[in-house]
Each structure stands twice: as C-alpha cells, then as structure tokens.
C-alpha cells in the first residue's frame, strides 16, 4: 500500500515538475511531509525524511535532464567542473547541518523558502522574459565573465548547503547565479541540470550517513532516506515529467507559473502555520 502511495506521489511530482518547469524537490518535499505525517512518523524525523528522500529521487531525474540538455550542447562542462566539488562537499555538510536542526525549525525554514520561490515565480516572470530576450541577442558566450575558480568553488559550497537544507536540486539557486554573470538562459539551465547530480548524490549520502548516526526508528529507511518512497517516486516521475512538459506547451506559461506560485504560497503558509502551532 505504501509503494502505491509513493507511485502516486511520483506521478504527481513528475507531472507538476514538467508542467511548471521547476525542480521536483519543490513538489516532493511538501507531499512527503503530508504523507509521512499521516503515517504517524515522529515529528522530529518527518522533515528530515522528506528532504533526504527528495534529494535521492533527484539523482534519477537529474540524469535524465542532464542527458537531454547535453544533447543540445547546453551544458558548460568547464563551469560544472569548477562548481561540482563545492556543490558535493557543501551538500554533504548541509545534510549534517540539517540533521542538527529540529524538525520544527526545518519546517519553518522550508516554508519560508517556498514562499520565496512563489514570490519569484509570481513577480519575476517579466524580469525573466527580459533576461531571456537579452541573452537571446547574444549567440555566444562573449558576455560571460564568470568569477575565478576558487570563487566558483565557494559559490558551489554555499549552493550545496542550501540545497541540502531545502531538499532541492539547486536549480533555483544555480540558474540565477550563472545568469547574473552573463550566461545565456539555455546554458544556465543546462549546466544547472548537470549540477543537480552531484548535489543529489552527496545530499542523499549525507542524509543517509547522518540519519544512521541518529538511529532513525522508521521502517524501510536508510538513515533519512525512505527506500519505498525513493523507488516509487523515481520510477513514476521519470515518465510523467514528459507528459507534464507536453501539456505545458498547450497551456499559457504565464498562467501556469502564477497558479503554481499560488499553490506554493498555500503550502509554504501551511508549513509555517503548522510550525508555529
């Protein structure tokens, strides 16, 4: 029965990720939080399990996304090589930091993050369109002036830590970082997709390792990663993401983003409300 529930979550998460053009973690974490709560798991572990499992599922989806973007030549591999070590180390350490934060505070932190993402999606549409128009005027990377390798490494560390605490693949942070320095949107998204892999692997391993240190008493888990949830969500989201992307091309992108922003606002407020109470 549990596996069926997780297959349904995977189908919803994948479809929504493809439909709204966001990372699956933004969808998976709230859904897992609700399901784990209904299953009666300890409130101290629910948020950690949702974050760790979310990062584990992103391993599969990031591989699929990476391959698709690489075929189009949209991955800046030299930039990836500079960011990846910091991303991996930062995300592993971020899992350790998250493990030391109580479930209540993690809930509040993720709630605020979801509200921030909702704000960016609702009010940032025009800015993103303007940015894409500007980037489209340049067919090469002549305007790209990225920081030095040590600074990119440090930036990767910060993005990695934040990704672990929020349970995301880092796209919400990596894309703005790259576009800020003149990287065209298509390559920023493609490189961000590649960066999601070291984030997801290191984050999942980190939540497993630090979860085992705390001896989490939840069935079918390795540390803070729920195995059934990982399998069910990974399998279904891989297929339904493509369906969501097809539907997205039929509907209005602006309307879709606003609708999703409203949904994130509701979920973010729910997290904060539950945390305060």
């Amino acid at each position: 029965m549990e596996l069926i529930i997780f297959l349904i979550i995977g189908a919803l998460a994948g479809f929504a990720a493809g439909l709204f053009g966001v990372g699956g973690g933004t969808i998976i974490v709230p859904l897992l939080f609700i399901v784990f709560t209904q299953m009666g798991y300890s409130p101290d572990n629910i948020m950690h399990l949702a974050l760790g499992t979310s990062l584990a599922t992103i391993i599969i989806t990031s591989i699929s996304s990476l391959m698709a973007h690489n075929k189009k030549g949209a991955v800046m591999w030299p930039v990836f090589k500079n960011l990846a070590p910091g991303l991996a180390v930062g995300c592993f350490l971020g899992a350790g930091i998250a493990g030391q934060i109580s479930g209540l505070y993690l809930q509040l932190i993720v709630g605020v993050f979801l509200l921030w993402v909702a704000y960016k999606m609702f009010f940032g549409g025009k800015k993103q369109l303007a940015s894409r128009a500007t980037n489209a005027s340049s067919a090469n990377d002549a305007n790209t002036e990225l920081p030095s390798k040590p600074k990119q490494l440090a930036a990767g560390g910060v993005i990695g830590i934040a990704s672990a605490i929020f349970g995301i693949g880092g796209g919400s942070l990596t894309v703005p970082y790259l576009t800020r320095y003149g990287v065209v949107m298509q390559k920023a998204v493609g490189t961000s997709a590649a960066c999601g892999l070291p984030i997801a692997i290191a984050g999942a391993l980190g939540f497993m390792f630090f979860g085992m240190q705390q001896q989490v008493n939840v069935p079918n888990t390795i540390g803070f990663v729920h195995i059934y949830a990982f399998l069910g969500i990974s399998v279904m989201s891989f297929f339904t993401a493509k369906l969501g992307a097809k539907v997205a091309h039929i509907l209005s992108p602006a309307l879709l983003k606003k609708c999703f922003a409203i949904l994130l606002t509701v979920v973010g407020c729910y997290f904060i409300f539950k945390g305060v109470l």
Side-chain angles (χ1 to χ4, degrees):
M1 186 62 190
E2 282 186 16
L3 185 56
I4 293 174
I5 293 173
F6 296 131
L7 286 170
I8 294 172
I9 291 176
L12 292 173
F15 182 78
L19 184 65
F20 298 116
V22 297
T26 314
I27 307 288
I28 294 169
V29 171
L31 287 175
L32 285 179
F33 176 84
I34 294 171
V35 171
F36 289 157
T37 300
Q38 295 301 313
M39 287 181 171
Y41 294 166
S42 169
D44 293 333
N45 296 328
I46 289 175
M47 205 67 212
H48 298 86
L49 282 169
L51 295 173
T53 306
S54 171
L55 284 167
T57 62
I58 292 172
I59 294 175
I60 306 301
T61 54
S62 66
I63 291 174
S64 175
S65 179
L66 164 61
M67 291 172 64
H69 285 291
N70 189 47
K71 285 182 180 179
K72 297 179 181 179
V75 179
M76 301 171 66
W77 288 110
V79 176
F80 169 79
K81 290 178 181 178
N82 292 337
L83 291 173
L87 292 169
V89 173
C91 202
F92 188 86
L93 294 177
I97 294 172
Q100 299 303 312
I101 302 174
S102 71
L104 172 63
Y105 286 124
L106 262 183
Q107 195 174 314
L108 293 172
I109 290 170
V110 174
V112 171
F113 173 72
L114 291 177
L115 291 179
W116 177 76
V117 174
Y119 172 81
K120 296 290 286 185
M121 291 191 75
F122 200 89
F123 296 104
K126 293 182 179 179
K127 292 181 180 179
Q128 289 176 1
L129 289 174
S131 175
R132 289 184 183 184
T134 301
N135 288 332
S137 65
S138 176
N140 52 45
D141 296 328
N143 296 326
T144 302
E145 294 182 5
L146 288 167
S148 62
K149 288 184 180 180
K151 289 184 178 179
Q152 288 184 51
L153 184 68
V158 174
I159 293 172
I161 291 172
S163 297
I165 294 174
F166 300 139
I168 60 174
S172 301
L173 305 171
T174 308
V175 171
Y177 171 75
L178 293 175
T179 55
R180 177 185 176 186
Y181 293 103
V183 176
V184 296
M185 181 61 74
Q186 292 85 348
K187 291 195 174 184
V189 172
T191 306
S192 174
C195 290
L197 187 57
I199 286 175
I201 293 174
L205 290 175
F207 273 102
M208 286 181 182
F209 176 78
F210 293 109
M212 287 190 288
Q213 302 301 308
Q214 297 188 26
Q215 298 180 338
V216 180
N217 188 25
V218 177
N220 306 313
T221 60
I222 299 177
F224 286 128
V225 175
H226 196 291
I227 301 304
Y228 283 1
F230 162 70
L231 293 174
I233 294 172
S234 298
V235 170
M236 289 304 294
S237 62
F238 183 83
F239 295 105
T240 57
K242 297 178 181 178
L243 177 61
K246 290 181 180 179
V247 175
H249 287 289
I250 300 173
L251 304 175
S252 165
L255 178 61
L256 283 174
K257 285 200 170 186
K258 288 184 178 180
C259 290
F260 188 60
I262 293 172
L263 176 62
L264 287 183
T265 301
V266 172
V267 175
C269 290
Y270 171 76
F271 274 2
I272 294 172
F273 178 75
K274 289 279 288 184
V276 171
L277 291 183

